[in-house]
Amino acid sequence: QVQLVESGGGLVQPGGSLRLSCAASGFTFSRNTMYWYRQAPGKERELVASITSAGRNTNYADSVKGRFTISRDNIKNTVALQMNSLKSEDTGVYYCKVVLGYPRWGQGTQVTVSS
């Protein structure tokens, strides 16, 4: 079955960096656009970044442009989110998503940016 497993979250100080990873299985990873979303406390889930199947095209939310980088490895079936210059407003649960007829989500990984 389809599985998305996020990892790499944690507590980091403002200005710090984290690298999230999502391990995918149960579908043809290399044929699908992948997404990172996040959900802050009390807010709706929002799109952070996306990357097309071969990795040629990426898109970012305005709030993370220039600080976050999405990448993928179609051999290892993983998608990563490198997050630099983290701010308190980046705090939230980060989710990996793929659309296979309908959205499939991972369980999420918590990112907390605080001094």
Side-chain angles (χ1 to χ4, degrees), residues 18-21 36 48-49 68-70 79-83 94:
L18 280 175
R19 183 176 178 86
L20 306 183
S21 184
W36 281 101
V48 175
F68 290 12
T69 303
I70 189 171
V79 57
L81 186 68
Q82 177 67 42
M83 306 187 295
Y94 283 69

Side-chain angles (χ1 to χ4, degrees), residues 7-25:
S7 61
L11 173 64
V12 63
Q13 292 187 342
S17 298
L18 280 175
R19 183 176 178 86
L20 306 183
S21 184
C22 172
S25 61

Side-chain angles (χ1 to χ4, degrees), residues 18-91:
L18 280 175
R19 183 176 178 86
L20 306 183
S21 184
C22 172
S25 61
F27 64 99
T28 308
F29 181 80
S30 61
R31 294 183 183 175
N32 288 276
T33 295
M34 298 298 297
Y35 306 85
W36 281 101
Y37 279 71
R38 69 185 178 190
Q39 187 165 20
K43 294 189 177 181
E44 294 189 356
R45 198 171 294 190
E46 64 173 351
L47 177 64
V48 175
S50 65
I51 185 166
T52 52
S53 57
R56 292 193 183 96
N57 295 104
T58 58
N59 281 290
Y60 298 92
D62 287 344
S63 58
V64 307
K65 280 181 182 175
R67 300 188 298 121
F68 290 12
T69 303
I70 189 171
S71 61
R72 66 189 296 158
D73 185 329
N74 284 350
I75 302 298
K76 295 181 178 179
N77 288 359
T78 58
V79 57
L81 186 68
Q82 177 67 42
M83 306 187 295
N84 299 328
S85 303
L86 282 161
K87 305 175 181 181
S88 58
E89 51 262 45
D90 295 317
T91 293

